[in-house]
Amino acid sequence: TAAELSHIAVPVLVVAGDMDEIAGKVDPLVAAIPGAKGVTLARRNHMNAVGDRQHKEEVINFLNSII
């Protein structure tokens, strides 16, 4: 629920492709989780977003920013 999401107190990265019809847009989830960062991958869908080079770079940058 939105109330439960608002209690998340760890760093969160939300990533989805701009053509992802399963996960949808990252903005609502990012807005619901305090301090969350969102990334939308251009021309990617639910199946090819994770293997995308930008996805990998964003995850590495995010992890480096929290350690």
Side-chain angles (χ1 to χ4, degrees):
T1 66
E4 292 170 318
L5 291 173
S6 73
H7 287 72
I8 295 175
V10 296
V12 174
L13 175 65
V14 181
V15 183
D18 66 354
M19 298 167 55
D20 190 333
E21 296 178 4
I22 296 170
K25 299 194 179 301
V26 301
D27 297 337
L29 193 53
V30 169
I33 301 172
K37 178 183 177 190
V39 175
T40 301
L41 303 173
R43 300 175 309 280
R44 295 292 176 253
N45 60 40
H46 196 74
M47 300 307 292
N48 63 12
V50 174
D52 185 77
R53 174 177 278 152
Q54 183 186 358
H55 179 268
K56 293 175 186 177
E57 291 171 357
E58 294 290 349
V59 170
I60 290 169
N61 290 339
F62 176 76
L63 292 173
N64 284 333
S65 76
I66 62 171
I67 58 173

